[in-house]
Amino acid sequence: MCSTSRHILTLGDYSLQRELCHRVKTGDHLPIREAAQAMAAGLELPSDGVLIPIPSHIGHATDTLLLCNELSSLCGLPVLDVLRGAQRDSLYLLKTAGTPLPDASFLAMYLTQELPDGLKPLLVDNVIGTGLTMKAALALVPDGIPCTLAVDYSRCTL
């Protein structure tokens, strides 16, 4: 099980959402729309939330930004694209190659601006696998609420 005391807004276990999570990564509009619709219908998003996309391995948000924009169009929450990181190898490719995962400093994540007061930051990713990326984001946004399609409960430590 994902060892966490933190509340995670998720549709459920990765094993049930695996295909959709992978399709979202392609950046194609249809799976992103499908994912956003499922999240809007299945998650209790706070009305005072702000959607903050998690950056990809290229250092800025890509598919997660598209997901946040689509989710915003459905639920009316604003999007704030303020997280950046180092350009690096994909954690997914490192995992599949059997390479030991680095620590969160490998991501070199930082904020590009201060977060507005009075809004609940929702840190949006398509999946929380090991939890490494989300941990790095939470280090910068300690009151952030993880928001994702799925969690890999067999590997996640958050």
Side-chain angles (χ1 to χ4, degrees), residues 36-114:
Q37 287 173 334
M39 291 173 79
L43 302 179
E44 289 189 38
L45 300 172
S47 61
D48 59 347
V50 59
L51 303 167
I52 302 173
I54 299 290
S56 72
H57 71 279
I58 62 173
H60 58 85
T62 53
D63 54 286
T64 56
L65 179 57
L66 297 172
L67 180 60
C68 283
N69 288 337
E70 193 66 37
L71 191 53
S72 175
S73 74
L74 296 169
C75 66
L77 296 179
V79 176
L80 193 58
D81 184 17
V82 296
L83 283 174
R84 298 289 184 274
Q87 189 168 356
R88 56 177 170 74
D89 289 332
S90 161
L91 292 176
Y92 175 78
L93 293 178
L94 290 175
K95 287 184 286 190
T96 57
T99 305
L101 291 178
D103 64 24
S105 66
F106 171 75
L107 304 174
M109 211 175 281
Y110 62 95
L111 286 168
T112 61
Q113 69 183 58
E114 293 293 318

Side-chain angles (χ1 to χ4, degrees), residues 1-4 8 128-131 151-158:
M1 280 296 193
C2 182
S3 60
T4 182
I8 300 172
I128 299 175
T130 63
V151 176
D152 186 345
Y153 290 107
S154 67
R155 296 190 341 219
C156 174
T157 59
L158 189 59

Side-chain angles (χ1 to χ4, degrees), residues 136-147:
L138 288 166
L140 295 169
V141 185
D143 59 339
I145 301 167
C147 182

